[in-house]
Amino acid sequence: MTDPLERRLRDAMKAYAETVTPEDIDRSREQSVTNAGASTGTADSRWLWRLSIAGLAAAAIVIGGLGIGQLSEPSRSPQADPVPETSETSTSTSRSTPERTTSTSSTRSAAPESSRTTAPKQQPSPTPKRTTATTQRPVPEPSTRSTPPPPEREPRSSQTETPTESAEPPPSVMTRSHQDPARLQVNVDARPAQGTQLSWRATATGTASSDSPSGGVLGYTVDHGDGTTESRQVRAGCDGASPVRPVTFSTGDQQHDYGRSGTFQVRVQVQYCSDHGKTESGAGTQTVQIP
Amino acid sequence: MTTLASSISPAVIGTRNAAQGVTHVPQDLDLADLYAAHHLSMVRLARLLVDDVATAEDVVQDAFLGLHRNQHSLRDSGAAAGYIRRAVINQARSTLRRRRTARAHLKVAEPEVGPAADADLIVSEEHREVLQALSRLPERQREVLVLRFWSDLSEAEIATAMGVSKGTVKSQASRAMKTLQKHLEAARS
């Protein structure tokens, strides 16, 4: 490497790079990055909400099941409570003995050997998770996960699921929920300019199906509120293959002359690409007083 | 990952890259702070790799969003600057690849992008000659030179940023300089 060439390279690169000044940079992108941070935060909190709702639903099912169990067997003695430990090993045989004799179950429950026959009888009693998990095992797993528990089944079988599993959506819903739905929020910034002129600018931030952070928007329509509308097309259509990603779009500074004073509502509707090639739109309005 | 922030002391960062708009970034910063500290220098770096400012901004924005998505996998917050630089290089590479493919197959699909019309007027004749020769280099060689002479990275740092070995960096740099010299001599004659 020759030193003069290195120096020339450094100088040339520095000169070229410095042609990009802070003024050349699109400031709206900064907002987009901030929004992206915020939207990811809400996605996390959305999952937290789902989990907590799932937990509450599972708890409600368990409590409801216990209530039903106690109603159906009001004479049952509390001695059956310790038994669920033993019923864990007796799941398969317990299904083969459907008849119930509650009086014997409560007396036999303490003996591990006899628990095979008593296990089904103890089902209505309040039980910890371990027991219920084993009673559910014979049920085919895909059906319990993808569909809600069948109504004819004993309430306890639905209680047996762990909170997160019981409230999880079907697989098809889960797959879709991995991708955040496209949604753009439109903000209109309109203010009176000279005379009866209006200066406005609309910004759309959020997520859309796009192959670049500044893409995804098909066009926009502005209703100036005085009976005139204006449409602009940005791109021809949605390809359906681009991922849903955070995007920022700005109409840039626009002008409109009302020709008279008054109060007008400016409404800007932005059409954008949603996932799977669909088209969505979002709108923002602002009322402006022309002096 | 060896990064600017993790491998060099903050004081060094502050002085070494002051000219490039990079300032020392404390360890526990959020995305907005990182953006404020590194955005301009990363756009400049991306511009040296992809030519036009708009694409460079796209590249850098993608890099920052990528950092945000993967921030949990970062070893420490000091690695963020290195992560962004590497992401910028990868994104720039992808952009150039996409651009080439679009030009080859769908001539109308992607608008012609390149330096601004007045870009040549802003840089001097001498610099323009060097930049033209630089733009004719293969992608990797150009990346090595840009990281070496503009980002001021060491061979090890360049290797980390580009995801190649130190030996590859050395050989690419050597080849790039020779080719550059040839291009410049040819242009002069």
Side-chain angles (χ1 to χ4, degrees):
Chain A
M1 290 186 199
T2 55
D3 282 343
L5 182 56
E6 273 186 29
R7 199 169 46 246
R8 283 182 72 186
L9 254 177
R10 279 181 202 277
D11 293 345
M13 285 180 192
K14 193 178 171 201
Y16 190 59
E18 283 175 358
T19 58
V20 181
T21 59
E23 289 76 37
D24 295 331
I25 288 174
D26 182 3
R27 288 286 157 202
S28 63
R29 287 168 187 268
E30 190 169 356
Q31 184 60 38
S32 168
V33 172
T34 312
N35 287 350
S39 69
T40 312
T42 54
D44 288 344
S45 60
R46 211 161 46 228
W47 274 108
L48 280 176
W49 271 107
R50 283 180 190 173
L51 283 174
S52 53
I53 289 169
L56 284 173
I61 290 168
V62 169
I63 292 166
L66 294 179
I68 290 167
Q70 282 178 351
L71 281 175
S72 63
E73 294 186 47
S75 62
R76 188 167 159 60
S77 76
Q79 289 173 357
D81 287 348
V83 179
E85 311 289 327
T86 59
S87 70
E88 200 173 332
T89 55
S90 62
T91 311
S92 57
T93 50
S94 66
R95 284 194 300 137
S96 62
T97 56
E99 72 279 357
R100 298 181 182 189
T101 51
T102 49
S103 58
T104 53
S105 70
S106 59
T107 52
R108 288 185 187 182
S109 59
E113 280 77 22
S114 62
S115 67
R116 292 191 172 192
T117 52
T118 57
K121 297 163 196 166
Q122 291 158 4
Q123 281 185 353
S125 68
T127 51
K129 268 185 202 166
R130 288 174 65 192
T131 320
T132 56
T134 51
T135 48
Q136 194 204 9
R137 211 174 288 159
V139 181
E141 211 171 312
S143 66
T144 43
R145 287 196 177 183
S146 59
T147 58
E152 66 273 11
R153 192 171 285 279
E154 283 178 335
R156 283 188 58 76
S157 66
S158 61
Q159 296 164 22
T160 58
E161 294 187 52
T162 56
T164 46
E165 279 183 349
S166 65
E168 264 180 7
S172 59
V173 179
M174 282 178 63
T175 316
R176 230 181 117 57
S177 68
H178 280 302
Q179 195 178 41
D180 283 340
R183 188 184 178 87
L184 281 187
Q185 185 166 3
V186 182
N187 291 313
V188 182
D189 179 19
R191 59 193 65 181
Q194 266 191 333
T196 55
Q197 281 208 328
L198 171 80
S199 172
W200 66 273
R201 177 192 188 99
T203 314
T205 51
T207 52
S209 169
S210 170
D211 54 1
S212 75
S214 56
V217 170
L218 293 169
Y220 62 90
T221 304
V222 54
D223 180 350
H224 298 110
D226 61 348
T228 62
T229 57
E230 197 182 334
S231 293
R232 290 266 168 85
Q233 189 179 9
V234 177
R235 58 186 285 187
C238 307
D239 58 10
S242 301
V244 174
R245 61 188 298 160
V247 299
T248 301
F249 170 77
S250 172
T251 60
D253 289 327
Q254 306 283 335
Q255 301 280 334
H256 175 70
D257 191 359
Y258 284 106
R260 62 189 166 92
S261 59
T263 305
F264 303 95
Q265 191 179 50
V266 184
R267 183 174 192 272
V268 181
Q269 187 172 30
V270 176
Q271 291 85 36
Y272 58 94
C273 296
S274 179
D275 48 348
H276 303 298
K278 286 184 290 186
T279 307
E280 297 280 346
S281 67
T285 57
Q286 193 185 332
T287 305
V288 66
Q289 190 161 20
I290 302 295
Chain B
M1 186 164 46
T2 312
T3 64
L4 187 69
S6 63
S7 63
I8 311 168
S9 70
V12 174
I13 298 170
T15 52
R16 204 166 88 163
N17 292 312
Q20 298 165 15
V22 179
T23 49
H24 162 55
V25 180
Q27 293 293 301
D28 51 345
L29 276 184
D30 63 9
L31 191 67
D33 291 328
L34 271 171
Y35 192 87
H38 293 286
H39 183 246
L40 181 62
S41 67
M42 289 299 162
V43 170
R44 286 172 169 175
L45 169 64
R47 202 218 174 161
L48 283 165
L49 300 174
V50 298
D51 264 0
D52 68 303
V53 180
T55 310
E57 284 189 88
D58 276 352
V59 161
V60 174
Q61 189 173 354
D62 268 344
F64 274 96
L65 293 175
L67 167 70
H68 184 66
R69 277 194 298 273
N70 301 312
Q71 61 183 319
H72 302 298
S73 60
L74 277 181
R75 205 182 48 222
D76 60 82
S77 58
Y83 177 95
I84 294 169
R85 189 185 303 110
R86 189 168 180 164
V88 164
I89 294 165
N90 289 337
Q91 288 284 351
R93 228 179 257 171
S94 306
T95 303
L96 293 177
R97 200 179 308 127
R98 265 205 310 273
R99 199 185 281 175
R100 273 198 303 270
T101 311
R103 278 177 185 163
H105 299 287
L106 301 162
K107 286 185 180 171
V108 291
E110 191 156 323
E112 279 294 316
V113 282
D118 60 347
D120 277 358
L121 301 175
I122 297 168
V123 293
S124 70
E125 175 68 32
E126 189 197 354
H127 293 157
R128 205 181 316 157
E129 197 182 317
V130 176
L131 291 169
Q132 276 172 359
L134 183 70
S135 69
R136 290 170 62 193
L137 290 179
E139 203 172 287
R140 298 231 169 202
Q141 292 183 12
R142 193 168 64 238
E143 283 169 11
V144 169
L145 294 190
V146 168
L147 292 174
R148 181 75 192 92
F149 297 118
W150 189 76
S151 293
D152 247 350
L153 299 188
S154 68
E155 280 172 353
E157 287 167 332
I158 296 170
T160 307
M162 290 180 64
V164 295
S165 69
K166 229 168 117 177
T168 307
V169 172
K170 268 187 192 171
S171 62
Q172 293 281 334
S174 164
R175 259 181 245 158
M177 290 303 278
K178 277 179 192 159
T179 316
L180 199 69
Q181 186 78 52
K182 273 184 203 163
H183 286 328
L184 288 172
E185 278 167 9
R188 222 168 289 146
S189 62

